[in-house]
Amino acid sequence: MSTQILYLSSSLRGADSQSSQMADEFIALRKEAGEDLTIVHRDLNAAPLPHIDGERFGAFTTPASERSSAQAAVVAESDALIQELRDADELIIALPMYNFGIPSTFKAWIDHVARAGETFRYTENGPVGLVGDKPVTVLAARGGQYVGTELDTQTLYVRHIFGLMGVSNIHFIYAEGLNMGPEHASAARQQAREAMQAQLR
């Protein structure tokens, strides 16, 4: 039985993206190991989603029976993204670091899928996720070294936002210091490759 993977990429660099190259290598290693994978690739740089503004947020919060046709179209786009997330057996996320954070295009995807009443709900004991847990592998490429420091805002944010939706099985593979010289970059890529192989054992 094939494993359906939702593969999210968001680098501005296209084919030259280090994070996407890492994700592609991870997928290739799994296929070489004999896994039957169905890949649904959503390139958020090549086909960016609209960022959430007041009008789009208003569409989400308007009761279905009262939505205009324009609001219904906005919600339908979000609903399709949420269904894509629900349908996936697991996620692979190619994640570059921009200005110590995630790309705005990836944040736009999150804002379309992290919807109260759809992927999480509020209770008197706090929010409860509605997506259901599934494996998420984040291939994180960084120019500097940030793991374990307060500048690594990505790791905590990704864990928190997916946790909000009920997804806690999250594994990070880092390639850091990629802009710190060829020798350092080569060592970082090799460490990431070894981490990929270790995950498949």
Side-chain angles (χ1 to χ4, degrees), residues 99-122:
N99 296 326
F100 307 120
I102 63 173
S104 65
T105 48
F106 181 51
K107 179 60 164 60
W109 178 84
I110 287 170
D111 289 340
H112 279 81
V113 301
R115 276 174 52 200
E118 294 293 334
T119 52
F120 70 95
R121 62 184 174 88
Y122 292 110

Side-chain angles (χ1 to χ4, degrees), residues 9-200:
S9 59
S10 54
S11 174
L12 301 172
R13 300 181 63 193
D16 294 328
S17 162
Q18 307 244 32
S19 59
S20 295
Q21 288 173 9
M22 289 169 64
D24 291 342
E25 183 173 359
F26 183 56
I27 291 169
L29 285 170
R30 293 179 60 173
K31 288 183 175 180
E32 288 170 9
E35 290 192 61
D36 182 5
L37 306 178
T38 298
I39 309 298
V40 177
H41 184 194
R42 183 166 287 277
D43 186 336
L44 298 167
N45 177 64
L49 297 165
H51 285 77
I52 298 298
D53 56 16
E55 186 175 338
R56 295 185 80 82
F57 181 73
F60 295 158
T61 57
T62 299
S65 61
E66 300 174 16
R67 289 173 188 149
S68 66
S69 58
Q71 288 178 319
V74 166
V75 174
E77 180 176 36
S78 174
D79 286 347
L81 294 167
I82 290 170
Q83 192 60 51
E84 195 171 70
L85 172 61
R86 288 184 177 131
D87 289 344
D89 297 310
E90 66 177 277
L91 277 71
I92 291 176
I93 301 173
L95 190 63
M97 177 179 275
Y98 296 149
N99 296 326
F100 307 120
I102 63 173
S104 65
T105 48
F106 181 51
K107 179 60 164 60
W109 178 84
I110 287 170
D111 289 340
H112 279 81
V113 301
R115 276 174 52 200
E118 294 293 334
T119 52
F120 70 95
R121 62 184 174 88
Y122 292 110
T123 74
E124 60 184 14
N125 298 316
V128 174
L130 303 175
V131 169
D133 206 2
K134 60 188 70 190
V136 177
T137 302
V138 181
L139 291 305
R142 290 130 177 229
Q145 294 180 303
Y146 305 105
V147 172
T149 76
E150 63 182 8
L151 296 179
D152 182 9
T153 63
Q154 285 188 335
T155 301
L156 281 177
Y157 177 74
V158 170
R159 290 194 185 281
H160 285 318
I161 196 64
F162 277 98
L164 175 71
M165 296 184 284
V167 181
S168 60
N169 185 7
I170 302 174
H171 183 73
F172 282 80
I173 295 174
Y174 302 96
E176 293 206 306
L178 295 172
N179 293 338
M180 297 173 66
E183 190 172 315
H184 199 120
S186 179
R189 292 190 196 96
Q190 181 58 32
Q191 288 175 357
R193 190 170 296 114
E194 290 170 1
M196 294 178 206
Q197 292 168 338
Q199 186 168 325
L200 299 182

